[in-house]
Amino acid sequence: MLLWLVASESKKTTDRGVGAMKKTNVRTHDVSAIYKKIDLRVLPFLLLCYLVAYLDRVNVGFAKLHMQSDLGLSDAAYGLGAGIFFIGYAIFETPSNLLLTKIGARKTLSRVMVLWGGTSSCMLFVNSETSFYVLRFLLGVFEAGFAPGMIYYLTLWYGRERLARVMAVVMLAGPIGSIIGSPLSTWIMAEFESVGGLRGWQWMFLLEGLPAVVLGVVALKVLSDTPAAAPWLTDAEKTLHSTLVQTEASDHSSLRTALKDPRIYLMAAGYFCLISGIYAMSFWLPSIIRDSGVDDLMTIGFLAAIPYVGAIILMQILSRSSDRRNERRWHTAIPAILAAACLAGSTVFKDNLAAALTCLSFGTALMWAAYTVFWAIPPQYLKGTAAAGGIAVINTIGLMGGFVSPTLIGYLKSLTGTTEAGIFAMVLLVAVGALLLAANRPPSTTRPANSNAAAAQE
């Protein structure tokens, strides 16, 4: 599936470049060759890295099924521990992304992966509420900067008229990580239970954390800091690529100027609400399924994977529609409000697992689709240092939703004894997020010359 997605992206990129080539007198097959190389060199590796990152971030949701009782954690304590990851992440994210522009993506992403992979594996040593909090916090500290750094890195390789589709490929890590991670995590927990005197959840943290360390080392060899530094592009290809991507206009050229723009914070607030819903599902879906009466670990794992199959399909459809129309705002706001309605519907059918899971599946898919297109918005008017810092600021503020939502659901569940109140809170947050996303008008409806010409050919 990964090879098909990359090949498809390469073909779409070529098609979109036809009009631009007519205007710049550059042969279409030259552009095709460049983007075929970039697609195959950049996208699969980043997708794999982000998949491992997402898995290490949310596997605590499956560990909860046994770890909570082993350690005597309350639902509120678990929710706080799951969410405290994002506190560490938020504190160190912007500095990490600004450092990326100084030392390069290769060293930055390598450092991040090695440190977070080692910390994730160390989760096997958790033996108390305090150690749970400390290691989750450190995991956030060490992973800080990876996602926004990756997004900024992609803006160096792809023009903004291609970004939604490219993001849709890399952001597949979330749903794929959930599809793979759900049965994988529960299988490890079941099969490795008591092996070597360790519980199944301890083996899960160990085995799922080590791949990040390996990928961090490999990144030093695989990644190039910029297109100009890529040894696998010829000088002619580098020159052509710079005319396709780096000449696009930007409303902000410095971080200081960008941070004065209220649209940055409007985007961040909308993103915060969207992320709250996404991580609520990531951390609590296994528990919601168990509370509905399903006790078998493997069954829980497979049922928890269902919502993300639809997410993969909808992410591709919505991102391509967004690129084709060069429209981002309504491609995020409308799916978000529909997602809120679906989450609300899941509580109506709480006594019917099939109906509730259907609502949760549609809601999750819609939130992921909106999330994918959202990340094509900031690069529309942020560039260079402003892009690196601005994207990090948006992601930092937004990812606090990853702290708020599991913590809030845990608190409300401890208070009421059910997850319904928590889900209703997520409905409200996602609905508010939809309104904020709709209110965020783009700075300009003018496309770069390349984009206009490309669109004319579609």
Side-chain angles (χ1 to χ4, degrees), residues 39-218:
D39 290 342
L40 293 176
R41 290 273 188 165
V42 174
L43 295 184
F45 186 73
L46 289 183
L47 172 57
L48 181 60
C49 291
Y50 199 32
L51 190 156
V52 172
Y54 189 81
L55 185 60
D56 286 345
R57 188 183 298 180
V58 302
N59 57 11
V60 68
F62 297 98
K64 175 184 182 293
L65 299 175
H66 287 169
M67 181 179 71
Q68 183 176 10
S69 58
D70 288 350
L71 303 181
L73 299 176
S74 67
D75 285 317
Y78 164 77
L80 177 60
I84 206 170
F85 164 94
F86 297 96
I87 300 295
Y89 197 109
I91 293 172
F92 288 90
E93 180 175 23
T94 300
S96 177
N97 228 34
L98 292 176
L99 184 62
L100 181 149
T101 63
K102 297 182 182 297
I103 68 174
R106 191 170 60 94
K107 293 180 180 178
T108 298
L109 297 181
S110 175
R111 164 185 56 82
V112 168
M113 286 187 283
V114 169
L115 290 176
W116 105 53
T119 304
S120 182
S121 293
C122 286
M123 285 288 292
L124 73 92
F125 298 115
V126 169
N127 58 11
S128 66
E129 189 174 305
T130 300
S131 60
F132 179 48
Y133 294 157
V134 169
L135 281 173
R136 286 292 294 177
F137 177 81
L138 289 177
L139 185 63
V141 169
F142 293 138
E143 194 185 319
F146 179 78
M150 180 187 66
I151 292 167
Y152 169 70
Y153 186 63
L154 287 171
T155 67
L156 302 179
W157 296 90
Y158 295 92
R160 73 191 192 191
E161 79 277 6
R162 299 177 177 91
L163 273 178
R165 291 176 183 176
V166 171
M167 294 296 181
V169 173
V170 177
M171 296 300 179
L172 282 173
I176 291 177
S178 298
I179 292 172
I180 296 174
S182 297
L184 175 63
S185 297
T186 50
W187 178 80
I188 292 174
M189 288 174 62
E191 293 298 318
F192 284 78
E193 177 64 27
S194 300
V195 173
L198 298 177
R199 296 300 309 269
W201 59 266
Q202 293 176 300
W203 277 108
M204 182 197 68
F205 282 127
L206 175 63
L207 296 178
E208 292 182 354
L210 292 178
V213 178
V214 175
L215 288 172
V217 175
V218 173

Side-chain angles (χ1 to χ4, degrees), residues 422-433:
I423 293 177
F424 274 122
M426 294 307 105
V427 169
L428 180 60
L429 275 173
V430 175
V432 170

Side-chain angles (χ1 to χ4, degrees), residues 2 192 240 255 276 382 414:
L2 175 57
F192 284 78
L240 174 56
L255 175 60
S276 293
L382 293 174
S414 292

Side-chain angles (χ1 to χ4, degrees), residues 323-339:
D323 273 350
R324 187 167 58 250
R325 294 169 174 80
N326 194 39
E327 200 290 314
R328 313 300 188 192
R329 183 164 57 128
W330 298 114
H331 278 76
T332 55
I334 292 175
I337 195 66
L338 292 176

